[in-house]
Amino acid sequence: GAAGRGGPSGAMAKNGIGMAIAYQGEHGAYSEAAARQLFGSVLGEGAALLSYQGLPQFADVFNAVQTGSAMYGIVPVENTLGGSIHANYDLMLRFSGLHVVAELDFHVNHCLIASPACAKADIRVVMSHWQALAQCDGYLRAWGVERKASFDTAGSAKMIKEKGLLDTAAICSALAAEAYGLEVLARNIQDVQFNHTRFLLLSREACAVIPMPGPSVNVKTTVVFWLPHTSGALFRAVSAFALRGLGVLKTESRPVPKGQLTDLKGQIEAAIGEKFPSTLKYSYVFYIDVAAHAASDEMRSALDHLREITPFVRVLGPYPTGGILTDDIAAKVRAAMPPPSMQAKSTVGGLTIGVIGFGKFGQFMSRRLAEKHRLFVTSIQTKSETAAEMGCTWVPWESAVNEMLTTHRVQVLIIATSITSFRHVVSRLPMALLQETKPLVVDVLSVKTYAKQVLMEYLPADCDILCTHPMFGPESGKNGWHGLPFAFEVVRSSHWERTAKFLGIFEESGCRMVSMQCDEHDKQTAASQFLTHLTGRVVAEHGCEPTLIDTVGYQNLCLIADHVCKDSFDLFYGLFKFNPCSAEQLQLFKRGMEDVERRLTDRIESEAMGKDHNMNKLHLSSLLSNITGSRTSQVSTLSRQLQEEGQTINTALSVSEPYYGPPPEVVAAAREESTGSGRNAEQGDVELRQAICDDLRKRKGLEYQTDQIILSCGGKQAIYQALLSICEEGDEVIVPTPGSGSYHDLAKLCRATPVEVETLAEDGYQLRPQQLLTALESCSSRCRALVLCNPGNPTGAVLSASALEALAEVLRMPAFGHIFVLADEVHERIVYDVEHVSFATLPGMRNRTLLINGFSMAFAMTGVRLGYLAVAHEGVAEAATRLQGLTTSRPSSIVQRCGLAALSGGKPVEDWVASRVQELKLRRDLMLRRLQTIPDVEVKAPQGTFFALINLRKVFKKAGAKVKTTEDFCLKCLKEWRVALVPGEAFHAPGTVRLSFAGKMEEFQAALTAFEACVRSAAP
């Protein structure tokens, strides 16, 4: 749990309030001791039965009272040695809806406490809050031990208990020693015995009845007011009380916190009818304690006088002093006490208890229950030896409940299964037997509304139901249950004595009993337990290792991660699935991360621009910051710009489309359809989709239905929609390199992370199965897809059937059954002397393949922009269709008619494609021959596409080389020879360039000559 959540056992208020009295600090803190003393004035020893809640910060105490999650809050405002606690004065101004209802003068008695297993002579280190150490400086100096400052007095005691420290003592209250089972070695060790702290009790409601001051009752009224910066203003304000014989016991001035100044200015301006002075850097409020009842004639007159001097006056009292509670508060506190039956300790006779679910938590709870009660336990897996070791009786699963109810006559039946199996187990209980025997059925799930609904749905109407949540487990409860919260709702109870006796088990163990409605429980645990588990798992997912310079905060973060990960993921899943409030917390968490990231990046950008980082500005999406864009397009654009300036640029080696146009049949279809305006389904024209199905069946042996084909405006749109259909934020996509940078950018656009795997020239730029296995094992469980571009761009590598099968064998492993394969096969018709095999044809891979293809390359239809996604997975096909319906809807009817003409053109079109492929093969061979004559240039012969990847690393490493990078080389070639190239960096392959052999022959040959000249001049 969070720091300071511990508290003594006690019942809650009848209205289901989560805690009775809030204080700042750990269980055992002086503030808790003060609260016990104050409420002990009316309850005596019964004050220990109230619920006390330690909170991390003073502001949390104020907030708990104002929001109603606490009946009262107790805060210190002044110490005789340390002076005023200014933070709480500021908070009294900030939380305007609270009232002071009591005051306590608490004597601080510092005790030296340590483990019962060690004597004072064993102590080497004394730890505590720095102020406590300072107040005991003389004692510690005379002793000569090492001092260690910590964040809390009681927290030091807690640390000694949890870590089992035998050479360390703590300075704290005697209550802390009792809370953590430690021993008091010395009392009153402070150097100055007159050490008192003044505490105030806060409430949402003012005291209803306060007797006028008399011989046995003293009353104070605290007043807060603002004064203008004028001579004598404070004198006149205090005179309002002095002139009427009222004693001012304390005055305190505080600068108004920046966040509250705006509200205060508004109130003052409304009262004085003019603007608040804008030149003031500081504005003060004053707190005074007056020895008078606010309702007395003198005090009313003084307050009226004060309001004539200043427009802002707030009264925080009146309240009795001397540690006295008024009658109305005493009555409310007594109402929060548990009924007498629950106060009675269950020492007479034990209960007979059955436990269904003997897993990790069931064993943890049963071990403690078996100390005083008869336990019969069961689970699906046989654990009879473990049960016997704990003193429990094992009951076989098959007949467990019947035997427990009839043979052993259990009085209480605890269902301790996982959240995910809870409904299944409850639904199979013998309902008739439950109605006959009427046990108390108890659940211990971490979600309560769901558990309550299931129990009320299945159990007989006269069966008692107790919904509980022991908010601790084997880790947090390993040193005892004292102070740990136990939330519960008595849903139905016809046998109250039995219910109270069962709850008494946890009271006797020191649990802090929290009576709470199930729906309210889920609201609060979503913001505490689920958020803690979420934070811990997020941190653990990305590593949280100790370092040599750990801060306390980082250590605590690591402890949270370690703690929550010791619980099963099923528990975390159940906290999310079966508590609807958790989904909202998850969204708030993500939004908070995004807001913090945006604030950081906005400030960096603003400072870089030399502007005020607090300025308001219009924002661009953060997605764009990581998108580099197509470098091939950038090179082509630059070449066109130079041409427009009148310069002749040879682009034959950089083009990404063939020099020739589409088949005549395609051109004719475009002209014919241009007069039409047809509309069709979002997936595209059904006739074209059927033609694609027929083509894939005929050429590839693949069976697809028309609703599994989604036509798109080019292949990139198909890739984007496929990835967006399967990727969540933070998922991973494996991308072999060298490869198109578009895969990386499209993955990022889907909020996924591209994971590169480098393929090598000596392997033919083919992804090897061991590389894939290593990548998948190193990736997190968030890996969603593998990209396979076959034939490869820019390498021209074609994966053989055996190479594809080896990769598929890795993907068939059970651990990787969730991985899709995005098979980009847009160049599959352009291959040389090899056969192209579609990945979807491999056994078991069709449903996992996102097949990308199109018409740009084989049919020279790059400007037409027509591609498609073929996918057998029903969910992906439906999702991609919906996505396209929200963007382009569909390719134009003209474009689709062109695609249909290409696929239905028969032998003329097929011969045309074959002829173009043969032309490209001749160009490839010509290029390879020319490259082989250039020293230090390496190339792997492409088996497909019209690209080749040229390795220039040896050129750059030669002695006297004038260029060292491909970026510089391409720039040199463009400037000196007017030949455009595409650097390998565009494909995550530095040291290389991609050459195209799809340009016009004359320009192609001239460009090769220029390329050779550039290489030779770059490294003479």
Side-chain angles (χ1 to χ4, degrees):
R5 298 196 70 177
S9 61
M12 299 311 303
K14 290 182 178 180
N15 61 1
I17 291 176
M19 52 188 172
I21 301 97
Y23 63 92
Q24 186 275 326
E26 291 279 4
H27 175 35
Y30 284 111
S31 292
E32 183 186 354
R36 285 171 173 250
Q37 179 179 321
L38 179 60
F39 286 95
S41 65
V42 294
L43 299 178
E45 294 182 358
L49 296 174
L50 290 175
S51 177
Y52 300 88
Q53 175 75 65
L55 297 173
Q57 306 293 334
F58 286 127
D60 299 329
V61 176
F62 280 80
N63 186 65
V65 180
Q66 182 153 299
T67 58
S69 59
M71 290 174 65
Y72 302 103
I74 190 166
V75 295
V77 292
E78 186 178 8
N79 178 261
T80 53
L81 300 180
S84 297
I85 292 90
H86 295 130
N88 286 330
Y89 278 101
D90 293 341
L91 289 168
M92 282 192 283
L93 180 63
R94 172 181 163 191
F95 288 86
S96 58
L98 300 185
H99 302 268
V100 180
V101 295
E103 177 190 76
L104 174 69
D105 180 39
F106 180 78
H107 180 222
V108 178
N109 179 357
H110 287 314
C111 298
L112 183 74
I113 69 173
S115 169
C118 66
K120 185 177 179 181
D122 301 323
I123 303 303
R124 299 290 179 268
V125 179
V126 174
M127 62 192 304
S128 188
H129 188 270
W130 69 269
Q131 282 186 328
L133 293 173
Q135 291 172 5
C136 302
D137 178 73
Y139 178 87
L140 298 175
R141 191 181 298 276
W143 188 8
V145 293
E146 178 186 347
R147 283 175 269 189
K148 183 177 180 181
S150 66
F151 63 90
D152 196 350
T153 54
S156 303
K158 182 180 180 182
M159 188 179 301
I160 291 174
K161 175 67 175 179
E162 292 180 345
K163 295 188 175 182
L165 302 177
L166 299 180
D167 64 344
T168 303
I171 296 177
C172 49
S173 67
L175 177 62
E178 175 189 340
Y180 300 108
L182 302 178
E183 184 174 336
V184 177
L185 301 181
R187 299 177 186 269
N188 293 316
I189 65 173
Q190 60 268 22
D191 298 339
V192 178
Q193 294 302 314
F194 189 72
N195 187 355
H196 292 255
T197 298
R198 179 176 166 232
F199 285 88
L200 297 180
L201 188 68
L202 305 174
S203 172
R204 291 184 303 282
E205 300 176 358
C207 301
V209 180
I210 304 178
M212 289 293 182
S216 60
V217 178
N218 290 320
V219 176
K220 281 185 186 178
T221 299
T222 296
V223 182
V224 189
F225 56 90
W226 172 85
L227 287 175
H229 283 242
T230 57
S231 299
L234 182 58
F235 174 79
R236 289 194 297 274
V238 177
S239 297
F241 301 95
L243 291 172
R244 292 163 179 83
L246 300 173
V248 176
L249 304 177
K250 175 180 171 63
T251 61
E252 186 80 36
S253 66
R254 293 293 298 151
V256 182
K258 183 178 180 181
Q260 298 169 31
L261 186 58
T262 302
D263 293 339
L264 183 57
K265 285 168 58 177
Q267 296 179 48
I268 294 171
E269 288 174 351
I272 65 179
E274 60 183 59
K275 285 290 184 181
F276 191 87
S278 60
T279 57
L280 290 180
K281 292 184 178 179
Y282 301 95
S283 186
Y284 293 89
V285 291
F286 297 85
Y287 296 79
I288 62 171
D289 293 339
V290 184
H293 197 297
S296 67
D297 293 339
E298 296 82 1
M299 191 63 179
R300 283 201 300 265
S301 177
L303 290 174
D304 290 341
H305 187 168
L306 182 62
R307 290 186 178 101
E308 294 175 1
I309 300 171
T310 172
F312 177 78
V313 178
R314 183 180 297 166
V315 179
L316 298 179
Y319 51 90
T321 65
I324 296 174
L325 295 176
T326 57
D327 292 343
D328 59 309
I329 293 178
K332 291 178 183 178
V333 172
R334 290 191 184 97
M337 293 288 290
S341 59
M342 284 190 64
Q343 296 180 36
K345 302 296 183 181
S346 56
T347 54
V348 181
L351 289 169
T352 304
I353 301 173
V355 179
I356 303 174
F358 200 55
K360 184 179 179 181
F361 184 79
Q363 293 176 32
F364 161 73
M365 190 169 56
S366 296
R367 186 181 295 276
R368 173 65 65 90
L369 297 180
E371 293 175 359
K372 295 184 179 180
H373 307 274
R374 295 180 63 203
L375 255 69
F376 299 88
V377 299
T378 188
S379 65
I380 295 177
Q381 295 180 336
T382 301
K383 299 176 182 178
S384 54
E385 294 183 2
T386 303
E389 182 267 328
M390 293 183 182
C392 304
T393 301
W394 177 259
V395 182
W397 175 258
E398 293 76 14
S399 58
V401 180
N402 288 61
E403 185 175 333
M404 287 178 181
L405 294 174
T406 56
T407 305
H408 305 297
R409 307 294 294 179
V410 297
Q411 300 164 282
V412 179
L413 188 63
I414 300 175
I415 305 175
T417 64
S418 68
I419 301 175
T420 52
S421 62
F422 183 74
R423 176 179 287 274
H424 175 80
V425 171
V426 171
S427 66
R428 282 159 177 74
L429 293 175
M431 301 304 167
L433 193 54
L434 286 172
Q435 188 168 11
E436 177 185 342
T437 56
K438 295 181 174 58
L440 170 64
V441 179
V442 180
D443 93 274
V444 291
L445 295 190
S446 299
V447 293
K448 296 269 61 75
T449 303
Y450 170 73
K452 179 180 178 179
Q453 290 173 344
V454 171
L455 292 174
M456 294 188 71
E457 177 182 350
Y458 287 103
L459 297 188
D462 54 355
C463 188
D464 287 357
I465 298 174
L466 177 63
C467 289
T468 74
H469 181 192
M471 301 188 68
F472 45 88
E475 284 299 314
S476 56
K478 62 185 177 184
N479 295 318
W481 298 357
H482 192 92
L484 300 176
F486 182 91
F488 67 93
E489 180 187 349
V490 180
V491 180
R492 290 198 297 247
S493 181
S494 60
H495 193 335
W496 177 248
E497 184 178 351
R498 176 181 62 188
T499 303
K501 194 171 186 180
F502 178 77
L503 291 171
I505 297 172
F506 298 90
E507 283 192 287
E508 290 178 5
S509 298
C511 293
R512 179 166 52 82
M513 307 300 286
V514 183
S515 175
M516 181 180 289
Q517 297 293 318
C518 289
D519 55 350
E520 181 62 26
H521 167 278
D522 285 357
K523 290 178 185 177
Q524 296 195 22
T525 55
S528 58
Q529 187 182 28
F530 174 75
L531 195 57
T532 301
H533 277 257
L534 175 63
T535 303
R537 289 196 174 271
V538 168
V539 171
E541 188 76 16
H542 298 283
C544 187
E545 299 296 331
T547 70
L548 296 176
I549 52 174
D550 285 357
T551 62
V552 173
Y554 181 74
Q555 290 174 348
N556 290 336
L557 193 62
C558 292
L559 286 174
I560 291 174
D562 180 64
H563 177 71
V564 301
C565 289
K566 287 180 179 178
D567 289 323
S568 68
F569 189 81
D570 276 355
L571 170 62
F572 181 50
Y573 173 72
L575 292 175
F576 177 73
K577 179 179 179 180
F578 298 104
N579 185 348
C581 301
S582 296
E584 180 182 356
Q585 288 298 320
L586 179 59
Q587 293 304 315
L588 290 173
F589 186 89
K590 291 168 64 177
R591 190 182 308 161
M593 291 289 291
E594 292 169 358
D595 290 345
V596 170
E597 181 181 12
R598 170 164 288 183
R599 288 181 63 189
L600 290 172
T601 56
D602 283 354
R603 181 159 181 175
I604 290 173
E605 293 173 4
S606 298
E607 290 178 351
M609 298 169 62
K611 297 181 180 179
D612 182 0
H613 65 266
N614 290 319
M615 69 176 186
N616 294 321
K617 66 173 189 176
L618 300 175
H619 292 276
L620 295 178
S621 170
S622 59
L623 279 176
L624 301 177
S625 61
N626 293 323
I627 305 301
T628 59
S630 172
R631 293 196 182 185
T632 56
S633 296
Q634 292 170 8
V635 172
S636 299
T637 300
L638 178 59
S639 299
R640 283 194 295 270
Q641 288 176 349
L642 292 173
Q643 288 174 320
E644 290 171 0
E645 294 172 1
Q647 301 185 47
T648 301
I649 304 298
N650 189 332
T651 60
L653 297 181
S654 65
V655 294
S656 56
E657 57 188 44
Y659 69 92
Y660 46 83
E665 291 80 0
V666 172
V667 175
R671 289 172 177 163
E672 180 181 348
E673 183 63 23
S674 64
T675 59
S677 59
R679 290 178 57 88
N680 41 58
E682 290 171 346
Q683 290 174 289
D685 179 66
V686 69
E687 190 177 359
L688 175 55
R689 287 186 281 130
Q690 184 61 58
I692 292 172
C693 293
D694 295 340
D695 178 65
L696 292 174
R697 183 184 307 110
K698 175 182 177 182
R699 293 191 307 109
K700 300 295 184 182
L702 285 170
E703 291 289 342
Y704 286 100
Q705 304 300 316
T706 55
D707 60 354
Q708 297 172 328
I709 307 294
I710 299 95
L711 299 172
S712 58
C713 300
K716 286 184 182 180
Q717 182 182 7
I719 295 171
Y720 174 56
Q721 291 173 172
L723 290 177
L724 196 58
S725 298
I726 64 172
C727 289
E728 298 280 0
E729 183 174 358
D731 284 348
E732 296 170 322
V733 177
I734 295 177
V735 183
T737 59
S740 171
S742 296
Y743 300 127
H744 294 71
D745 287 344
L746 288 170
K748 292 174 184 177
L749 203 56
C750 298
R751 298 187 182 271
T753 301
V755 178
E756 291 186 18
V757 180
E758 184 182 5
T759 60
L760 304 176
E762 50 264 38
D763 293 331
Y765 293 114
Q766 297 197 10
L767 180 65
R768 298 304 181 189
Q770 185 57 49
Q771 285 182 295
L772 176 59
L773 179 60
T774 302
L776 288 170
E777 289 177 339
S778 64
C779 282
S780 71
S781 59
R782 300 296 301 273
C783 184
R784 285 292 175 266
L786 162 68
V787 174
L788 275 184
C789 183
N790 184 33
N793 174 16
T795 64
V798 178
L799 288 145
S800 65
S802 59
L804 292 172
E805 174 55 36
L807 298 177
E809 188 173 349
V810 174
L811 294 169
R812 293 189 190 104
M813 294 180 179
F816 310 131
H818 62 287
I819 305 295
F820 284 95
V821 176
L822 191 143
D824 187 347
E825 301 179 359
V826 74
H827 290 93
E828 51 93 11
R829 290 177 184 259
I830 306 176
V831 292
Y832 316 112
D833 305 323
V834 295
E835 180 184 358
H836 178 270
V837 177
S838 180
F839 191 80
T841 61
L842 303 179
M845 292 297 112
R846 177 176 172 273
N847 199 52
R848 297 170 59 180
T849 299
L850 312 173
L851 177 59
I852 307 296
N853 212 324
F855 297 78
S856 297
M857 301 307 168
F859 301 105
M861 294 167 56
T862 51
V864 175
R865 308 308 302 153
L866 180 62
Y868 66 83
L869 165 66
V871 55
H873 190 287
E874 181 180 351
V876 177
E878 180 183 353
T881 300
R882 283 190 283 120
L883 285 170
Q884 185 156 296
L886 295 171
T887 53
T888 60
S889 294
R890 65 193 67 79
S892 76
S893 58
I894 299 175
V895 167
Q896 295 186 70
R897 282 293 135 182
C898 291
L900 183 60
L903 291 183
S904 60
K907 192 172 184 305
V909 174
E910 293 296 331
D911 290 346
W912 182 92
V913 172
S915 177
R916 299 294 86 77
V917 172
Q918 187 60 31
E919 287 181 29
L920 292 172
K921 182 175 183 296
L922 293 174
R923 291 164 183 267
R924 179 201 68 166
D925 296 343
L926 171 62
M927 182 188 69
L928 292 176
R929 288 195 298 271
R930 293 286 299 271
L931 293 175
Q932 288 169 0
T933 66
I934 307 175
D936 301 313
V937 170
E938 297 178 338
V939 59
K940 191 74 176 178
Q943 298 172 302
T945 75
F946 39 75
F947 303 120
L949 192 65
I950 314 303
N951 188 342
L952 298 178
R953 294 185 182 94
K954 287 186 177 180
V955 176
F956 302 150
K957 291 179 180 179
K958 288 181 67 175
K962 297 179 181 178
V963 294
K964 299 294 184 182
T965 67
T966 47
E967 294 275 8
D968 292 340
F969 180 83
C970 293
L971 184 60
K972 177 181 176 66
C973 198
L974 185 60
K975 286 183 176 181
E976 298 181 15
W977 280 271
R978 295 297 188 265
V979 171
L981 303 173
V982 182
E985 282 82 356
F987 309 99
H988 297 262
T992 68
V993 294
R994 185 189 75 175
L995 298 188
S996 170
F997 47 93
K1000 295 179 180 179
M1001 179 60 76
E1002 183 179 349
E1003 294 178 2
F1004 174 58
Q1005 290 182 321
L1008 284 175
T1009 300
F1011 175 79
E1012 179 179 355
C1014 189
V1015 171
R1016 293 184 185 276
S1017 68

